[in-house]
């Protein structure tokens, strides 16, 4: 890791080759979600690249450091999924067997009807799994604005989809 911190890009490749599979196995065994495990491993190494100078070998082994990053990322994603499934179960990453084509289209239409500012926040937060801080940085707005736009978007989506359910008589 010291070599990588000093600019040796091949050192990162060696670290990736050595630790990719153990990280994947840990996340997959914990979550039983293959795509999540793949994403978490990738996100872990992106985070390592971004914050490579934060690692201090005197505080522990690199393997432990990476497992800690991966675990925290996984818990964050799982908690976020759980939270927004309870808020808007129809926004969770759509599984073919879970939703009919018509329901998928209804959700997409409802999201498409949101004002542009709210739509951007919803898409980044729910579909791209970004943190509010990241969204604020991308959109160039304060974190509090991200929170309020998200809140308003959820409220609008609930109203829109409840109205659709009422119109179709599926309630």
């Amino acid at each position: 890791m010291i070599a990588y911190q000093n600019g040796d890009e091949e050192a990162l490749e060696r670290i990736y080759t050595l630790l990719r599979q153990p990280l994947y196995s840990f996340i997959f065994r914990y979550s039983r979600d293959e795509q999540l495990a793949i994403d978490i491993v990738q996100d872990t190494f992106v985070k390592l690249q971004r914050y490579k100078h934060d690692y201090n070998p005197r505080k522990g082994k690199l393997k432990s450091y990476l497992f800690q990053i991966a675990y925290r990322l996984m818990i964050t994603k799982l908690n976020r999924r759980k939270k927004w499934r309870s808020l808007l179960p129809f926004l969770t990453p759509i599984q073919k067997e879970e939703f009919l084509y018509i329901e998928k289209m209804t959700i997409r239409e409802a999201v498409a009807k949101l004002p542009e500012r709210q739509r951007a926040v919803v898409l980044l937060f729910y579909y791209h799994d970004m943190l509010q801080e990241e969204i604020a940085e991308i959109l160039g707005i304060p974190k509090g604005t991200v929170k309020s736009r998200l809140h308003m978007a959820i409220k609008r989506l609930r109203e829109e989809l409840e109205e659709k359910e009422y119109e179709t008589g599926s309630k």
Side-chain angles (χ1 to χ4, degrees):
M1 182 64 190
I2 302 298
Y4 175 59
Q5 286 175 321
N6 292 329
D8 181 358
E9 294 298 320
E10 289 178 12
L12 179 62
E13 227 174 280
R14 291 190 298 274
I15 294 166
Y16 180 78
T17 302
L18 185 65
L19 295 174
R20 167 183 45 110
Q21 189 58 44
L23 282 169
Y24 170 84
S25 295
F26 168 65
I27 300 299
F28 179 74
R29 285 184 181 129
Y30 188 97
S31 68
R32 291 286 179 219
D33 184 332
E34 183 179 4
Q35 190 58 53
L36 176 71
I38 291 167
D39 291 345
I40 294 295
V41 169
Q42 181 180 355
D43 292 349
T44 299
F45 281 94
V46 166
K47 197 163 187 169
L48 178 65
Q49 279 182 297
R50 190 175 293 153
Y51 302 106
K52 67 182 178 184
H53 295 291
D54 290 351
Y55 170 69
N56 183 345
R58 284 179 258 140
K59 290 185 178 180
K61 293 182 178 182
L62 178 61
K63 183 176 182 178
S64 301
Y65 181 70
L66 288 175
F67 270 74
Q68 183 181 46
I69 291 171
Y71 179 75
R72 286 181 179 162
L73 289 169
M74 177 188 61
I75 294 301
T76 299
K77 281 194 178 193
L78 291 174
N79 285 341
R80 187 175 298 142
R81 278 184 186 176
K82 202 182 304 178
K83 179 182 176 186
W84 71 282
R85 276 188 183 137
S86 69
L87 292 173
L88 293 171
F90 36 77
L91 278 180
T92 56
I94 297 170
Q95 304 293 320
K96 290 177 186 165
E97 63 274 3
E98 287 182 37
F99 293 101
L100 300 171
Y101 176 77
I102 295 168
E103 289 172 320
K104 290 180 192 177
M105 293 309 294
T106 302
I107 295 162
R108 288 183 185 144
E109 288 171 12
V111 171
K113 285 182 182 179
L114 288 172
E116 285 181 27
R117 292 173 172 192
Q118 291 175 4
R119 188 175 343 123
V121 171
V122 165
L123 293 174
L124 291 171
F125 188 77
Y126 289 113
Y127 287 92
H128 295 283
D129 235 1
M130 292 188 177
L131 299 172
Q132 292 177 355
E133 293 82 8
E134 294 171 313
I135 296 169
E137 187 177 320
I138 289 168
L139 299 178
I141 58 176
K143 182 180 170 186
T145 304
V146 170
K147 286 181 177 186
S148 65
R149 287 182 186 175
L150 213 74
H151 176 76
M152 291 305 297
I154 290 168
K155 184 178 175 187
R156 281 180 182 230
L157 286 170
R158 274 194 179 139
E159 290 169 358
E160 176 75 22
L161 292 167
E162 285 173 1
E163 188 178 302
K164 285 272 188 207
E165 278 185 321
Y166 181 75
E167 287 173 5
T168 61
S170 59
K171 211 170 192 182

